[in-house]
Amino acid sequence: MCVGVRARIVYTAKQLIALRSAVVLPRDRHEITAEVLVKSRRGRRAGKLRREKTRRFRPAVPSVIMGNVRSLANKIDELAALTRYQPEYRTSSVLLFTETWLTSLIPDSTVALDNFHLLRADRTENSGKRKGGGLAVFVNIRWCMPRHCTVKMKLCNRDIELLAVGMRPFYLPREFTHVIIIAVYVRPSANADTASETLLSVTSRLQTQHPQALFLISGDFNHAPPSAALPTYTQYVTCPTRDNKTLDLFYANTKEAYAASSLPPLGRADHNILHLLPVYKPVVHRQPVVPRTVKRWTAESEEALRDCFNTTVWTELCDPHGEDINAITDCVTDYINFCCENTVPTRRVRCFTNSKPWVTPDIKALLKEKKRAFKSGDREELRRVQKELRRKIREGKSSYRRKMEEQLQQNNVSEVWRSLKTISGFKAPHPQAEGDLSWVNELNSHFNRFDQAPTHTSQQLPPNLLSPHTTGLPAPTALHTFTQSPLPSALTTGDSSQPHPLTSHHTESLPQPLTSHHTKTLPPPLSFSSTQVRSELRKIKARKAAGPDGISSRLLKSCAGELCGVMEHVFNLSLKLRVVPQLWKTSCVVPVPKTPHAKDPSSFRPVALTSHLMKTLERLVLGNLRSAVGTYLDPLQFAYRHGIGVDDAVIFLLHRALSHLEKPGSTVRIMFFDFSSAFNTIQPMLLKHKLEEAGVDLHLTEWIMDYLTNRPQFVRARDCVSDTLTCSVGAPQGTVLAPFLFTLYTSDFRHNTDSCVLQKFSDDSAIVGLITDDDDAEYRGLTQNFVDWCQRNHLLINVGKTKEMVVDFRRQQPALIPPMHIQGRDIERVDSYKYLGVHLNNKLDWTHNTDALYRKGQSRLYLLRRLRSFGVKGPLLKTFYDSVVASAILYGVVCWGSSITARDRKRLDRIIRKSSSVLGCTLDTVQEVGERRVLAKLTSIMDQVSHPLEDSLSALESSFSSRLIHPRCVKERYRRSFLPAAVRLYNQNC
C-alpha cells in the first residue's frame, strides 16, 4: 500500500442489511387512528415558472437564453456550472450567444457543454476584422436530438454575421412544422441599411421554403434594429441589455409567445444575459372543443324540400289570418322551419380550432394506429403506419386541391375563396364574447343606450330562448313564442289604439290611418313581382348565419323558385299595410371584441343578425328608393353611388388641398369627424320630413317609419342569451337600408365654397378649410354650424376620436394656431390620420401610408407562401395573390401611385418581386399598375357628369384637339398628384 493513500472500505449486502434498525413486526405495529391516516390537502404553486418546471423539456415554443458574451472560451466553465445547477439554463431549449470570438483554431471540445449540441459560425476573413464576432447556438438534446438540427445558412461579411439553424424538436404545436433560429451580430461600424436588407433577404428566402415554421431572430443588432425590415415580427426584449440601452433583441413571427427577463452577465461581459420564457398558448388550447349540431345539406335533401314546398297550398296557411301581417309571417316561418327540420338530417360534430378539412376519418384512424404501434414497441409496424399516413395525407391534400380547381372552373368563386382562407388561415373568426347573464344584460343596455329611458321596453324572454342550441343560435321555434306572447299587443298587431312603448316624440313617426280623401289621391303602394323576389332570393349568400327567425340562407337560395310566390304576397302585403312584421325587425346582437382583451362594454362591436327575408325585402325597396331620391342626395356624398368610391373621396380632398397650397400664404386645415353608432341615432320623425322633401311616396315613407321604430333586440354571447328584450329606434348596423337612409338623413347639410368644403363618405365626414393669410373665420364657422346641426338632428359626435390635421408648407409658420373647441373640449391635432383606409400626414408625402401597406403586404405574403407549400399552383395561386396580397399593397394606388418617393416605391416593389418568386411568373410593378389604374379612373370621371371632379376636368379640355390642357403647377407636390399626372398620361396615350 502506498503511503498517503487511504484504503477503501467495502461492505457486502448482508452487512449493510444487518446495519439497519430492526423493523417492527406485524403483530407489534402501533394502532393509528383514522384521523391521522387522512391525507391533508396540499396546495400547488402556480405561475409561468411553475408551468415551465412542470413541462420541463416540452415547452410549446422553445425557451431561449441569449446574450453577448465577449469571448466564450474563457467563460465556458462558468456556463457549464450554470447548465448543471441553474434551472433556467438546465431546462432551456436553446442557448444563443454572439461575439463568441471563436476561430477555427479552437476545437468544439473546448466549448462543449453536457447535454447540449453545439452549432457555431466563427469569424472569417470576410468580416474584415481580427477580433470580435462569432456566433454559437447550443441546442438542448433533451428538447431536440442533434440529428434533427440542420444549418440552413451561414453568412459573414463586413456588415452582418448570420447563422440560421433549423430544428425539429420532440414536441411542437400543430401550427408549426419546425423551428428556425437565426442568430445575428451586427458590428457597430456596419452599414445599417445593408445589414437589414441582408437579414430580410435571408428571412424571406427561408420563409418561402418553410412557410409554416416558427422563426426566431435573435442577436446583438447595435445601431441597426430590423423592426422596419420585419414589420410582421414581434420584438420581446423590453429591458436594457447594456447599461440603459437595449442592443440585444429577440423577434418571433407569432404574437404573445415570450416574456423576457434579465440574468447576470457571464464573467466580465458588459451585456446582460436574457431569458426568454415561453408563454405561448397553442391554438388548440385557446378555444375549447365546441360541439355543434349541423345540418347535412345534400342535393337529395334540397330536392326533397323543393318537392315539399311545391305541393304546399300556401293560401290555406295565409287566408285564415286575413291581413294580420304578424300572424302570417309567424305561420309561414314556422312551416318553413318545420319542413326543414323534418327533411334535412342533422348530425353532432366536435369542432377543433386546428382542424384541417383534408384530415379525413381514415387519417384519424391511422393516427390512432400509429400511437398504438409506438406504445407496443413494434418498430416495423410503426414504420409501415408512418408510410401509410404520409401517403394518405398527400392524397387528402391533392383531393382538396382538385376540389378547389373544379370549383374555380365552375365559377364558384365564393367556395374557392372560403377554401383558400381555410388553408392559409386568412382572417380567422373573431373570438366570441363570453360572460354570465348579468354581463349580457349590461351589454344589451349599453347597445341600446341611444334611446331615452321611457323608450326601453324590457321584457323577460321565455325560458326556451335562454337555452340555445350548441351552435349558439336560439331555437327557431322558441323565438316565435316570444314574438307572439311576451310582446304587448301594440307590438304584435300594430294596433294604434293600444299604448305604445315609445315616447310621444317617436309616436309621431308611426304610420297613421289615412282618411278616405287621402286614399283617393294617393298613388298605389309599391309592389314587386314574383320574378323580382326570386331573383333577389337567388342572390343570397348560402353560408350566412341565420337570423332570429331561424330560416337558413341556403334554404332560401335553393328553394327560391318555390318560395317566391308566398314571399311576394307577404312583401306586398307589408308594403300595402305600411307595417314591417315584428319578427323581421327583431335583431340578435352578437358582441364582437374590438381588442384582443376586451372587458368593458364599449370595447365590443354590436353585430346584428336579422332575418334574411327582411334583408331581401330591403334590397328590393332600396332599388326603388335610390332611383326616387337620386337628385336629392348631397353631390359630395361619395358613398353608395355608382362608379364613385373611396379613391374619388381621397382624390377630391387632395386635389382641393394641393391646388390651394399652390398659392402664397396658404394653409389647409382638415377636421375629421367621428360619430358614435351613427345608424342607431337616426330619428324617424326627422327622417320622415326629409323623405317627403325628397319626393318619396307616402306609402313607402310610412313603411320606412315603421321599419325604424320599435325594433326588438337581444344580445347573445357564447352559451348565454340576455333575458331582457329592449326596443330601439333607428337602424342597427348589418341591415341593408341603414347606410342609405343615413346618407338621406345627412343630405340637407352641405357646404361647398372656394375656401371651405364638407365632404362625406357615409358616416365619415371631413371639413376641408382652404385658408389664406391665417383667415380661418369661415372654417371655424362651418365647423360650429355642423356641430350645431348634429345636435339638432341627434347625431352624437365622438369628440375623443375627432381629429384635426394642419398642412402648412410655409417657411415662417405662426407660432401658435388656436385649437378648435367642440362641446367644450379641445380637438386633438395630429400629424397623420387614417382616412378611409389611406394614411394621410401633414406633409402629404405618403411615408406613413407606405409603412402601413408594407407591413400589411408582408403579413399577406406569408399566407401566399403557405398556399404554395400546400401545393396550390397556377390560376388558383394567382387568384389568391390578386385578392389578398395585391389588394393590400395596392390599396388606393390611384391616390398615391404618382406621388410616392422612389424609396417607398422600391419597398413595395420588393414585396411584388417576392410574390413573383412564389408564383413563378412576372408581376407588374407598382408604377405599371398605378399608371393603368390612373388612366382608367380619369376615363371614368370624364364619363360621369355628376362626379365632383368633372368640372375641373371640363376646364382642362382643349377646343382644338382631343388632348387635355396640363394644369398650372408651381410646386412639385401638386405636379405629382392625381390630376396633373393623369392628364400627362392621357396626353401621352392620345
Side-chain angles (χ1 to χ4, degrees):
M1 178 181 296
C2 298
V3 181
V5 179
R6 188 174 179 179
R8 298 176 60 186
I9 302 175
V10 180
Y11 294 92
T12 63
K14 292 182 179 181
Q15 290 174 331
L16 291 175
I17 293 175
L19 289 175
R20 68 180 182 178
S21 59
V23 297
V24 180
L25 297 178
R27 61 179 179 274
D28 298 332
R29 288 179 180 172
H30 302 285
E31 294 184 1
I32 303 176
T33 60
E35 291 79 3
V36 179
L37 289 175
V38 175
K39 278 189 174 183
S40 61
R41 296 183 178 272
R42 301 184 62 186
R44 185 175 180 179
R45 296 183 61 186
K48 293 181 291 186
L49 292 174
R50 181 64 184 178
R51 289 196 298 270
E52 175 70 10
K53 184 176 179 180
T54 303
R55 293 186 62 89
R56 292 180 66 83
F57 305 108
R58 292 188 58 190
V61 292
S63 58
V64 180
I65 285 183
M66 54 167 288
N68 186 321
V69 294
R70 294 179 63 86
S71 180
L72 181 63
N74 57 7
K75 301 178 179 67
I76 197 64
D77 294 335
E78 180 183 354
L79 184 59
L82 291 172
T83 55
R84 179 180 293 271
Y85 298 109
Q86 292 292 332
E88 293 87 355
Y89 287 82
R90 185 175 65 252
T91 59
S92 291
S93 306
V94 177
L95 307 178
L96 189 151
F97 301 114
T98 59
E99 278 214 88
T100 59
W101 297 10
L102 299 178
T103 63
S104 58
L105 300 178
I106 302 177
D108 290 349
S109 58
T110 306
V111 291
L113 295 175
D114 294 339
N115 298 322
F116 282 87
H117 175 58
L118 173 62
L119 299 106
R120 49 191 272 194
D122 300 339
R123 180 185 74 248
T124 63
E125 296 179 356
N126 296 330
S127 63
K129 55 184 179 180
R130 299 180 179 180
K131 188 178 180 181
L135 303 168
V137 175
F138 293 90
V139 181
N140 198 324
I141 62 176
R142 291 165 292 189
W143 175 72
C144 180
M145 298 188 68
R147 66 173 180 269
H148 293 160
C149 300
T150 307
V151 176
K152 297 291 184 180
M153 182 170 294
K154 284 185 182 182
L155 188 62
C156 181
N157 54 40
R158 294 179 178 271
D159 298 313
I160 188 172
E161 296 182 30
L162 185 144
L163 172 63
V165 181
M167 292 163 283
R168 294 181 180 271
F170 295 110
Y171 170 77
L172 202 63
R174 183 179 295 181
E175 54 265 30
F176 303 122
T177 55
H178 58 294
V179 179
I180 294 181
I181 293 182
I182 302 177
V184 179
Y185 173 67
V186 179
R187 57 191 296 187
S189 59
N191 188 319
D193 294 337
T194 305
S196 298
E197 181 67 24
T198 303
L199 177 61
L200 178 61
S201 176
V202 172
T203 306
S204 176
R205 189 181 306 114
L206 292 175
Q207 279 186 320
T208 303
Q209 298 172 359
H210 313 283
Q212 300 183 38
L214 172 64
F215 278 80
L216 306 177
I217 303 176
S218 172
D220 184 1
F221 293 91
N222 283 305
H223 62 292
S227 301
L230 302 171
T232 58
Y233 283 63
T234 305
Q235 205 283 116
Y236 289 98
V237 178
T238 56
C239 51
T241 60
R242 180 184 178 184
D243 298 331
N244 59 348
K245 298 180 180 179
T246 304
L247 303 179
D248 300 299
L249 304 177
F250 185 87
Y251 294 83
N253 61 343
T254 184
K255 297 181 179 180
E256 299 180 1
Y258 286 95
S261 61
S262 297
L263 295 176
L266 284 180
R268 300 177 62 183
D270 56 352
H271 286 245
N272 296 332
I273 298 297
L274 296 173
H275 184 202
L276 280 305
L277 188 67
V279 295
Y280 179 77
K281 194 173 184 180
V283 175
V284 71
H285 295 159
R286 294 178 195 172
Q287 296 180 7
V289 179
V290 181
R292 298 178 185 270
T293 301
V294 298
K295 295 184 179 297
R296 303 183 62 180
W297 289 94
T298 60
E300 293 77 10
S301 61
E302 292 180 1
E303 187 63 30
L305 272 177
R306 295 191 192 98
D307 293 342
C308 178
F309 294 142
N310 262 330
T311 56
T312 300
V313 182
W314 295 103
T315 55
E316 296 294 331
L317 295 175
C318 300
D319 289 348
H321 301 287
E323 292 189 347
D324 190 349
I325 187 65
N326 288 293
I328 293 176
T329 304
D330 293 338
C331 180
V332 172
T333 301
D334 287 335
Y335 178 75
I336 293 176
N337 286 328
F338 172 78
C339 295
C340 182
E341 292 174 359
N342 288 274
T343 305
V344 183
T346 60
R347 66 172 179 173
R348 187 86 168 178
V349 297
R350 300 174 66 200
C351 298
F352 296 85
T353 55
N354 59 350
S355 294
K356 303 297 181 183
W358 54 86
V359 179
T360 60
D362 295 338
I363 295 178
K364 294 180 180 179
L366 284 174
L367 289 172
K368 294 180 180 179
E369 188 177 351
K370 176 184 177 181
K371 185 182 295 184
R372 287 194 297 267
F374 175 77
K375 290 183 177 180
S376 65
D378 190 349
R379 294 186 175 275
E380 293 295 333
E381 180 67 14
L382 180 62
R383 282 195 290 268
R384 185 193 66 81
V385 175
Q386 287 177 335
K387 183 178 179 180
E388 182 68 16
L389 181 62
R390 288 194 295 268
R391 186 181 65 84
K392 283 289 185 180
I393 292 177
R394 284 196 301 269
E395 291 179 356
K397 289 186 175 182
S398 300
S399 176
Y400 195 74
R401 184 174 62 253
R402 287 194 299 270
K403 175 184 175 182
M404 287 191 296
E405 292 173 353
E406 293 175 358
Q407 292 171 347
L408 184 62
Q409 293 174 357
Q410 298 170 1
N411 292 328
N412 192 351
V413 182
S414 60
E415 289 298 324
V416 174
W417 176 231
R418 184 179 65 86
S419 301
L420 291 173
K421 290 192 295 185
T422 302
I423 295 173
S424 62
F426 175 64
K427 277 192 176 179
H430 290 280
Q432 207 176 76
E434 298 182 6
D436 55 5
L437 184 61
S438 61
W439 179 79
V440 175
N441 288 332
E442 181 184 357
L443 279 178
N444 196 9
S445 302
H446 175 75
F447 293 151
N448 202 25
R449 67 190 184 277
F450 300 102
D451 295 326
Q452 298 179 358
T455 65
H456 288 216
T457 306
S458 298
Q459 306 160 14
Q460 295 294 325
L461 293 181
N464 52 4
L465 188 61
L466 301 181
S467 301
H469 290 305
T470 55
T471 58
L473 291 173
T477 57
L479 191 58
H480 305 321
T481 306
F482 111 79
T483 54
Q484 293 174 6
S485 57
L487 296 178
S489 57
L491 297 181
T492 55
T493 62
D495 187 3
S496 58
S497 63
Q498 298 293 334
H500 204 277
L502 301 177
T503 61
S504 59
H505 172 71
H506 292 143
T507 307
E508 297 175 3
S509 62
L510 294 177
Q512 302 294 333
L514 299 176
T515 61
S516 59
H517 174 70
H518 288 159
T519 307
K520 295 179 182 178
T521 58
L522 285 177
L526 179 66
S527 62
F528 303 106
S529 64
S530 59
T531 304
Q532 293 174 296
V533 176
R534 181 172 60 250
S535 176
E536 288 297 331
L537 288 176
R538 287 176 177 173
K539 295 178 182 178
I540 296 177
K541 296 181 179 180
R543 299 189 62 85
K544 288 292 184 179
D549 58 356
I551 298 181
S552 169
S553 57
R554 182 163 184 173
L555 182 148
L556 296 175
K557 184 179 181 67
S558 303
C559 304
E562 291 72 24
L563 296 176
C564 63
V566 64
M567 289 300 109
E568 173 200 2
H569 171 70
V570 178
F571 289 172
N572 292 334
L573 181 62
S574 174
L575 293 170
K576 175 185 175 182
L577 301 176
R578 294 157 290 151
V579 175
V580 179
Q582 201 70 21
L583 179 61
W584 288 359
K585 292 197 295 185
T586 305
S587 303
C588 174
V589 180
V590 180
V592 177
K594 299 179 183 178
T595 58
H597 305 286
K599 294 183 180 180
D600 56 315
S602 60
S603 300
F604 292 88
R605 179 179 293 105
V607 177
L609 299 179
T610 56
S611 171
H612 288 290
L613 292 174
M614 184 62 206
K615 290 181 180 179
T616 303
L617 178 57
E618 290 179 63
R619 293 188 187 96
L620 292 170
V621 171
L622 180 61
N624 182 274
L625 186 63
R626 182 180 283 114
S627 59
V629 300
T631 57
Y632 180 76
L633 293 177
D634 186 358
L636 295 184
Q637 173 62 262
F638 291 87
Y640 316 112
R641 296 175 61 184
H642 178 70
I644 299 178
V646 172
D647 293 340
D648 302 86
V650 179
I651 288 172
F652 181 79
L653 187 148
L654 293 175
H655 172 70
R656 295 293 297 267
L658 291 173
S659 59
H660 175 72
L661 291 171
E662 292 280 295
K663 306 173 185 177
S666 58
T667 308
V668 175
R669 299 177 68 175
I670 310 174
M671 182 72 68
F672 299 100
F673 289 93
D674 183 87
F675 296 101
S676 297
S677 297
F679 300 159
N680 298 83
T681 55
I682 297 177
Q683 298 299 312
M685 192 60 191
L686 297 177
L687 180 62
K688 179 180 180 181
H689 296 302
K690 298 177 183 182
L691 290 174
E692 292 174 353
E693 293 177 1
V696 180
D697 177 53
L698 183 59
H699 282 280
L700 184 57
T701 301
E702 295 186 347
W703 183 89
I704 293 176
M705 294 302 101
D706 187 73
Y707 165 80
L708 291 175
T709 55
N710 189 23
R711 298 187 63 91
Q713 73 176 32
F714 60 94
V715 173
R716 170 179 62 80
R718 180 178 295 171
D719 300 330
C720 190
V721 179
S722 60
D723 61 350
T724 57
L725 184 71
T726 57
C727 290
S728 62
V729 176
Q733 294 186 6
T735 56
V736 177
L737 278 176
F740 189 77
L741 291 178
F742 184 82
T743 61
L744 286 174
Y745 192 71
T746 58
S747 290
D748 56 338
F749 189 92
R750 57 188 74 174
H751 189 92
N752 186 10
T753 63
D754 294 337
S755 56
C756 272
V757 60
L758 169 65
Q759 66 177 70
K760 311 168 189 173
F761 192 93
S762 187
D763 58 336
D764 290 307
S765 301
I767 292 180
V768 183
L770 310 177
I771 301 169
T772 304
D773 298 331
D774 300 328
D775 184 11
D776 58 353
E778 183 179 357
Y779 171 72
R780 289 180 175 273
L782 175 59
T783 303
Q784 187 59 44
N785 292 338
F786 183 71
V787 173
D788 296 339
W789 178 86
C790 291
Q791 292 179 347
R792 291 194 302 270
N793 288 268
H794 302 274
L795 294 178
L796 304 180
I797 297 178
N798 192 338
V799 182
K801 294 184 178 180
T802 299
K803 308 295 181 182
E804 184 187 25
M805 189 174 71
V806 179
V807 183
D808 192 350
F809 296 150
R810 294 177 296 178
R811 293 183 178 180
Q812 296 182 354
Q813 299 181 4
L816 179 64
I817 300 177
M820 297 291 296
H821 302 276
I822 294 180
Q823 299 175 1
R825 295 176 57 183
D826 292 344
I827 299 301
E828 181 184 1
R829 191 167 293 159
V830 296
D831 295 334
S832 63
Y833 185 82
K834 185 179 179 181
Y835 178 63
L836 302 179
V838 178
H839 294 260
L840 303 175
N841 61 6
N842 56 358
K843 297 180 181 179
L844 301 181
D845 57 0
W846 302 107
T847 54
H848 292 77
N849 186 69
T850 305
D851 292 339
L853 295 180
Y854 184 78
R855 288 194 298 269
K856 188 177 294 185
Q858 286 281 13
S859 61
R860 302 291 177 86
L861 189 60
Y862 162 73
L863 304 176
L864 190 69
R865 293 188 179 110
R866 288 196 62 178
L867 286 180
R868 182 65 178 84
S869 66
F870 183 76
V872 178
K873 300 178 182 179
L876 274 178
L877 200 62
K878 183 63 166 56
T879 300
F880 190 85
Y881 167 78
D882 294 334
S883 304
V884 179
V885 183
S887 63
I889 61 179
L890 298 176
Y891 179 79
V893 67
V894 176
C895 310
W896 51 262
S898 57
S899 304
I900 60 174
T901 61
R903 179 179 177 273
D904 291 340
R905 184 178 291 109
K906 288 179 181 178
R907 293 182 66 191
L908 298 178
D909 284 339
R910 189 185 302 129
I911 298 179
I912 295 178
R913 288 196 303 270
K914 294 174 183 176
S915 303
S916 177
S917 64
V918 176
L919 293 174
C921 62
T922 304
L923 300 174
D924 294 336
T925 61
V926 173
Q927 183 175 358
E928 294 172 347
V929 176
E931 291 179 355
R932 185 167 61 247
R933 295 188 183 181
V934 163
L935 283 176
K937 176 58 68 176
L938 180 66
T939 306
S940 174
I941 295 174
M942 296 172 65
D943 294 340
Q944 293 185 7
V945 182
S946 61
H947 197 282
L949 283 177
E950 202 275 335
D951 294 338
S952 301
L953 281 177
S954 300
L956 300 178
E957 292 182 357
S958 174
S959 57
F960 300 99
S961 64
S962 60
R963 297 167 62 89
L964 297 176
I965 303 174
H966 196 279
R968 181 177 177 271
C969 303
V970 177
K971 297 182 180 180
E972 182 68 19
R973 288 184 178 88
Y974 183 50
R975 185 181 298 110
R976 297 174 58 187
S977 63
F978 166 78
L979 191 59
V983 171
R984 185 167 54 252
L985 290 173
Y986 182 82
N987 292 335
Q988 291 175 2
N989 289 271
C990 283

